[in-house]
Amino acid sequence: MSGKRTFTMIKPDAVQNGHTGAILNDIITDGFRVVAMKYTRLTPEKAGEFYAVHRERPFYRELVEYMSSGPIVAAILEKENAVESFRKLIGATDPQKAEEGTIRRKYAQSIAANAIHGSDSDENAAIESAFFFSKLEIFE
Ligand code: UDP
Ligand code: MG
């Protein structure tokens, strides 16, 4: 059975370019409820830890540098079938391949600076949520 929560980050490019409000509006209009939210910045160490699964990929260093380059908005979102529904809303990793109307198509700069993160499984949604939020910071 699929879960009702996913984790997201509005990435540094989108925050820097003033898209935070529009992206949150798209998320809420699509039926997601915010149960936790934080405006913060990742250190290079923390960004490296978050993306540790991509350690061996050629883009890892650049990704870590970019993800720690400025503030982000981290959030936990609730909706039926949250992970899959949110991946559909954000679109493909490469914004040029993302469908019309998706968040990445509308707001992303490039495959690296692609505006937003969305968890890829219920298991990772739980791990990534715990990376940013304590139980006391999550509101039912
Ligand atoms: N990324 C990149 N170059 C690539 C593929 C990915 O810079 O060729 C970055 C991009 O920011 C992406 C993140 O690494 O969002 C994680 O990659 P993943 O394949 O997990 O894509 P996602 O799940 O974010 O769509
Ligand atoms: Mg991924």
Side-chain angles (χ1 to χ4, degrees):
M1 218 186 80
S2 52
K4 59 182 172 60
R5 283 185 180 175
T6 191
F7 171 80
T8 188
M9 289 183 286
I10 302 175
K11 296 185 178 184
D13 62 293
V15 173
Q16 180 64 39
N17 292 325
H19 298 311
T20 301
I23 290 173
L24 288 174
N25 188 53
D26 283 0
I27 291 170
I28 291 161
T29 300
D30 200 57
F32 288 89
R33 198 165 70 86
V34 175
V35 295
M37 183 171 280
K38 196 172 277 186
Y39 185 55
T40 186
R41 183 175 180 162
L42 288 167
T43 61
E45 292 70 28
K46 278 285 182 192
E49 209 185 306
F50 186 88
Y51 283 109
V53 294
H54 295 305
R55 204 163 36 224
E56 308 300 336
R57 308 282 287 280
F59 58 81
Y60 180 69
R61 276 176 68 103
E62 189 198 347
L63 176 62
V64 167
E65 200 175 306
Y66 153 64
M67 285 303 297
S68 56
S69 68
I72 60 154
V73 176
I76 303 174
L77 305 171
E78 202 167 86
K79 187 186 178 182
E80 285 308 313
N81 197 19
V83 166
E84 195 189 337
S85 174
F86 194 70
R87 294 287 300 201
K88 200 168 154 57
L89 176 66
I90 70 177
T93 308
D94 180 350
Q96 293 193 326
K97 294 182 182 145
E99 270 181 55
E100 200 70 54
T102 59
I103 289 175
R104 281 170 166 167
R105 178 66 170 263
K106 290 201 281 185
Y107 307 112
Q109 303 290 297
S110 64
I111 191 164
N114 62 359
I116 192 156
H117 169 81
S119 304
D120 63 5
S121 67
D122 289 351
E123 190 192 359
N124 284 334
I127 292 168
E128 291 168 1
S129 296
F131 190 89
F132 280 89
F133 298 100
S134 72
K135 287 214 165 68
L136 285 172
E137 293 171 310
I138 302 167
F139 300 91
E140 300 297 325

